[in-house]
Amino acid sequence: MKDWLEEINWNADGLVPAIAQDYKTGRVLMMAWMNRESLALTVAENRAIYWSRSRGKLWRKGEESGHVQRLHELRLDCDADVIILMVEQLGGIACHTGRESCFYRVFEDGGWKTVDAVLKDPHAIYAAGHHHE
């Protein structure tokens, strides 16, 4: 049996972009990066675990905020270089700004307009000193 991780076209840094979508509504919640370890752990633990490029370490989504993403389905695109995670977003908030989705700005009249409300104050989500998960 082929190693399913071998079938992924990892980029030069050994990463693959992963898009998280709400499994019920289909809304795109966020995009982050995964390496082999984080993807293998995502499947093993049935929850989204990303690779933080800025911190150079695994990032278990929700480890600080409690906004865990439970995995319902994993999909790979035709070129095997993008992953979609169909998830249940606990708390209904994926973005560190306290919004449902990281994609809360819409291009309108030549500029970016914020169209989604903050559901929870980020300061209430994260402990002092942590601005992002």
Side-chain angles (χ1 to χ4, degrees), residues 4 37-50 58-61 63 68-72:
W4 62 277
E37 187 186 8
S38 67
L39 182 54
L41 285 169
T42 291
V43 169
E45 297 184 23
N46 224 38
R47 59 174 287 192
I49 299 169
Y50 302 106
L58 291 173
W59 159 33
R60 283 175 163 79
K61 176 68 180 165
E63 66 191 337
V68 172
Q69 291 174 344
R70 284 214 188 103
L71 184 65
H72 280 254

Side-chain angles (χ1 to χ4, degrees), residues 7-97:
E7 294 185 50
I8 292 167
N9 284 325
W10 305 96
N11 71 10
D13 296 321
L15 303 174
V16 66
I19 298 162
Q21 281 186 274
D22 185 292
Y23 83 109
K24 284 191 201 135
T25 66
R27 173 146 198 209
V28 175
L29 301 173
M30 58 177 279
M31 176 271 163
W33 296 89
M34 288 188 167
N35 62 7
R36 295 176 71 93
E37 187 186 8
S38 67
L39 182 54
L41 285 169
T42 291
V43 169
E45 297 184 23
N46 224 38
R47 59 174 287 192
I49 299 169
Y50 302 106
W51 174 254
S52 170
R53 293 178 301 172
S54 60
R55 293 195 318 234
K57 68 185 191 83
L58 291 173
W59 159 33
R60 283 175 163 79
K61 176 68 180 165
E63 66 191 337
E64 288 180 26
S65 64
H67 299 151
V68 172
Q69 291 174 344
R70 284 214 188 103
L71 184 65
H72 280 254
E73 186 178 75
L74 190 60
R75 286 188 180 239
L76 183 63
D77 84 329
C78 56
D79 296 321
D81 61 3
V82 181
I83 281 168
I84 288 184
L85 309 159
M86 299 304 288
V87 301
E88 175 187 0
Q89 177 65 67
L90 301 190
I93 294 172
C95 187
H96 76 281
T97 64

